[in-house]
Structures are given as structure tokens and as C-alpha cells.
Amino acid sequence: MLHETHEARPSETLTRVPYWVFQTAETYRKEQERIFQGPSWHYLALEVELPEPGDFRTTGIGDTPVVVTRDNDGEIYAFENRCAHRGALICLDNHGKGKKDFSCVYHAWTYDRQGNLTGIAFKDGVKGKGGMPDTFRMEDHGPRKLRIAILHGLIFGSFSEDVPPIDEYLGDEISGRIERVLGGRKPVVLGRVTQALPNNWKLYMENVKDSYHASILHLFFTTFELNRLSQKGGIIVDESGGHHVSYSAIDTTVQKDAEYAKQQLRSESQYKLADPSLLQGFDEYHDGVTLQILSVFPTFVLQQIQNAIAVRQIVPRAVDKTDLNWTYLGFSDDTPEQRLTRLKQNNLVGPAGYISMEDGCVGGFVQRGIAGASEEEAILEMGGSEAQSSESRVTEASVRGFWKAYRNNMGM
């Protein structure tokens, strides 16, 4: 159980994170209430995945299953995937098209595309007997509905009436960086995969925000000079701390530096690619940035690594279990050559990606490593003690930013 001292003092500063926050059932329960049901925006789906009325996808916000639909008015709606009758899932399919309504398989209570209860099997009984009482009003019953916000084709939802508008929630810098990747373009879904992670969801979010590890853990990054801490780049941390961008640019005119060799890291290797065309991309954004990792608190990631574009959705499943949903993207105006490049470079990421394979393991290493150390703390002092934007990526500023937003949302 969570001790009272844990609730009162999770850490003296942003540079210390107690390991019990990744371990206790009570912390996980409070996260569902205060973060996933609280005043935050959560990624649900892509607008392009629901092009026609009756199209739908099922997804989740924390533990809560959700249905996302498009109705005849052209608008996007989302509601809890829970029948108002006995709590069964309303929709069992992951996605579909042309759905007129949703009927619970248990007792055939029926809902329209906006989540309104519209029908009850044998509501008036049979031969004048049984049925629902005359006082029962269908409009008073139904699953909870979500607020919806759409930004550059990304559909976000929230159970809270207190969450600010999405532009205000993100701020100008983060919104601008999303626009940089997706603005004015029609995405095309190239593939999807769900990865099961053996660790707490926050460990993966820490990893996403941790620019310090990227060229140390990932052999591929430094071997082929896709990402080195000595390259041009920086970190953007918004005022809340919860959203971040890490970006870098390859500079082929700069001689390979000796800093990595001095560190004697495993990420220095002499490996070569049998097919070097994997790394032969095209200039897509005309700003020199070849890597941009963007996160939105609490669980959304937008990735550009070379020409590999993807959205990642982190879905907590238990204290030590997390689903990571990858959606790989191209764009409708891609040439055949550009589409082939994206398909090749998508091998960089995902459960077995040349880069991100290690990210799927290291969270589990931490979860196992801290098993007997709930009263100990992680150290986050690289680059100082603040959660601020930085021209250096040798910093844990954006990780500290996550904990700043986390503590604020959890009331710690």
C-alpha cells in the first residue's frame, strides 16, 4: 500500500523520483482518476482513419475503453465503450465501416454513433408482462461522452470539462512543431502494430523524453551518425513541463568527433549496412532537422526519424504492463520513390526496429531492477535541476518536465 508519507512528499525536487511511483497499486489507481479521467487531452485516433459516416475505431484512455466514430453530420464523437445496462463492452471490433449503430451483445441495448441509448430489447416486456418500468428514461442513461479536439488530423479526447482548448493546452511551440510534421498534409496509414511492454507506463514516457540516453543506448544511432549529442539540435520544454520536443540535424560537413570514443560506450561500433539505401532519404521539411521526437502529456508521441513518420500511443494496462500502439504514416502526395523510402525507414522503429528495439527492453530492466528498492530514488541531475528548454541535449530537462506536470496533475 501507498504510505501517507508518499502522498505528502514524493520528492524534494525534480531531480529525485522515488521508485514506488512505478510500483504501487494505489498510485496507479489515483493516476486513472486524476490524470486519465482528469483535465488532460488524450490521443484517440487519426481523423483520416474515420473518413465516412459510420466509420469507427476502439481505443483507450488509461484503463477506460473508448469508441471513436464519425456521424452523418461529419463530426467526430467519442464515448466510453461500456453498456449502461450491465457494463459489458458495447463494441467488440477494433475498427469498422458503415456502422449504423452499436448493439451490446449481452442484452442488445443499442446506441447511436454519438453514444446515445436508443433501444432496449423487450423494453415493454412480452405479452404485457415484464419489461422496464414506465419511469425509465433512455435519455438519462448511457456511457460517458468525451470532449473532442482535432489538431492537424490528430483526434484528442477528454473526460474533463476543465481541460483548456487544445491550442492553449499545448502552447505555440509544441503546436507549431506538430504543424511542422503534419500541417496541410493528408496522412496515409502504412501500418500498425501493438507492442506489449513489461513495465509501468511512466518508464516509457521517461524514455521518450530522455535525450541523454538516445546515442548511448542505441547502437544504430551513433554507428551511422543519425543522432549524436554533439550534433546541432536542442530541447523544447513547455511551461507546464508535460510536453516536449527533442530535435537534431545531421551535419555531414563536420568531421566525426572523438567524444564518443573517449566515453568507451557500447554504442561505438564498426557495423555496416548490407543495404545502405535504408538511410538514403529525401529532404522533406527543408529545415535540416532529421530527427524530431515530440510528446504530449500524458501519453502521446509524434516521431520524425529521417523520413519515418509515426504516432505512438501509450496505454497503461497494469502497474507493470503497458501497451504501445504504433501507427506508421506516409502522405497522400508521396511519390512512389518517397513511399518506398518510408517503408524502408520504418524498419528503424517499432518492436524490432533497428533503433527502438532497445527502448522496448530497457523499461523492463528498470522495473525488474527496482523491485526491492521502493524507498530508493532515481537521480535526474544531468543538465541541472530545472525543467526548461535547452540548446544542449546532454540534459534530463524534459524528463524533469514530465515529473513537474505529473506532480501537478496528481496533487503531489
Side-chain angles (χ1 to χ4, degrees):
M1 293 293 292
L2 185 65
H3 303 313
E4 289 184 5
T5 53
H6 287 165
E7 177 70 10
R9 188 190 61 81
S11 177
E12 291 294 344
T13 71
L14 296 178
T15 66
R16 296 293 185 273
V17 177
Y19 291 134
W20 56 259
V21 298
F22 305 109
Q23 298 173 318
T24 68
E26 181 64 9
T27 299
Y28 184 82
R29 183 194 67 78
K30 288 183 178 180
E31 289 169 352
Q32 300 303 316
E33 172 191 340
R34 300 180 185 182
I35 294 178
F36 295 101
Q37 303 289 326
S40 296
W41 286 109
H42 305 270
Y43 171 76
L44 300 178
L46 294 162
E47 193 174 17
V48 73
E49 295 178 294
L50 307 169
E52 302 293 335
D55 293 349
F56 70 91
R57 294 197 67 83
T58 54
T59 183
I61 295 180
D63 279 344
T64 305
V66 171
V67 181
V68 190
T69 70
R70 189 183 292 275
D71 205 357
N72 284 335
D73 60 2
E75 298 296 320
I76 299 293
Y77 296 89
F79 53 91
E80 189 177 12
N81 192 3
R82 174 189 57 83
C83 183
H85 179 215
R86 299 275 287 278
L89 292 171
I90 298 170
C91 182
L92 301 178
D93 297 323
N94 291 331
H95 59 89
K97 299 183 71 64
K99 195 80 166 175
K100 294 181 179 179
D101 53 35
F102 298 87
S103 184
C104 175
V105 68
Y106 199 178
H107 298 95
W109 283 35
T110 302
Y111 303 84
D112 65 18
R113 296 166 178 165
Q114 299 183 26
N116 300 307
L117 178 61
T118 56
I120 295 176
F122 302 113
K123 176 178 179 293
D124 298 324
V126 177
K127 296 182 179 179
K129 296 181 180 180
M132 299 296 287
D134 294 338
T135 55
F136 185 87
R137 293 165 48 86
M138 288 196 293
E139 57 267 33
D140 294 337
H141 300 274
R144 289 177 296 170
K145 299 178 181 180
L146 284 74
R147 289 177 60 190
I148 293 294
I150 300 175
L151 181 71
H152 301 302
L154 303 170
I155 304 171
F156 292 89
S158 179
F159 285 107
S160 173
E161 292 298 322
D162 297 325
V163 64
I166 190 70
D167 288 340
E168 181 181 337
Y169 182 78
L170 295 175
D172 291 341
E173 280 191 297
I174 303 300
S175 295
R177 287 285 177 157
I178 293 175
E179 182 178 18
R180 172 186 171 273
V181 177
L182 299 176
R185 313 174 79 186
K186 182 180 179 180
V188 175
V189 175
L190 302 182
R192 297 185 183 87
V193 65
T194 295
Q195 181 177 2
L197 304 177
N199 52 264
N200 187 273
W201 68 275
K202 299 185 293 296
L203 288 171
Y204 187 78
M205 285 307 296
E206 278 195 327
N207 177 272
V208 165
K209 292 170 176 289
D210 177 14
S211 57
Y212 175 34
H213 88 276
S215 60
I216 300 173
L217 176 67
H218 300 306
L219 188 73
F220 198 93
F221 261 156
T222 48
T223 297
F224 300 103
E225 301 185 62
L226 297 182
N227 186 4
R228 286 173 172 254
L229 292 173
S230 52
Q231 292 172 344
K232 294 183 293 184
I235 298 289
I236 299 170
V237 183
D238 84 306
E239 186 176 352
S240 77
H243 321 312
H244 104 290
V245 178
S246 175
Y247 64 95
S248 63
I250 296 174
D251 188 347
T252 57
T253 65
V254 176
Q255 184 177 0
K256 185 174 179 178
D257 62 86
E259 292 296 320
Y260 280 80
K262 291 179 183 178
Q263 306 298 322
Q264 297 183 353
L265 303 173
R266 65 169 291 278
S267 54
E268 283 287 285
S269 79
Q270 301 301 315
Y271 288 112
K272 298 183 183 299
L273 285 172
D275 180 9
S277 70
L278 174 73
L279 300 180
Q280 293 171 3
F282 55 95
D283 186 4
E284 187 164 4
Y285 297 105
H286 311 297
D287 58 6
V289 173
T290 51
L291 182 146
Q292 176 180 289
I293 305 296
L294 179 152
S295 71
V296 173
F297 186 87
T299 53
F300 172 75
V301 182
L302 174 63
Q303 155 217 303
Q304 175 227 337
I305 301 176
Q306 302 281 81
N307 302 113
I309 314 298
V311 295
R312 311 179 201 170
Q313 179 193 31
I314 296 93
V315 184
R317 293 303 186 193
V319 170
D320 58 354
K321 291 183 175 62
T322 302
D323 279 353
L324 174 59
N325 296 326
W326 298 79
T327 304
Y328 304 97
L329 301 180
F331 296 95
S332 60
D333 58 355
D334 285 347
T335 66
E337 293 77 16
Q338 290 171 337
R339 182 62 50 82
L340 179 59
T341 294
R342 294 196 199 282
L343 291 171
K344 285 184 177 182
Q345 292 188 358
N346 281 341
N347 288 293
L348 297 173
V349 296
Y354 295 143
I355 294 169
S356 58
M357 176 172 57
E358 296 96 338
D359 291 330
C361 299
V362 73
F365 297 163
V366 175
Q367 195 78 45
R368 290 156 57 190
I370 66 176
S374 62
E375 298 301 321
E376 300 296 325
E377 296 176 320
I379 300 168
L380 297 175
E381 294 189 28
M382 185 63 65
S385 61
E386 301 299 323
Q388 297 176 343
S389 300
S390 168
E391 293 183 0
S392 170
R393 289 176 296 127
V394 191
T395 180
E396 292 165 318
S398 49
V399 184
R400 291 189 290 269
F402 173 80
W403 291 110
K404 176 183 175 181
Y406 179 88
R407 291 169 65 179
N408 182 57
N409 279 264
M410 291 288 283
M412 290 178 163

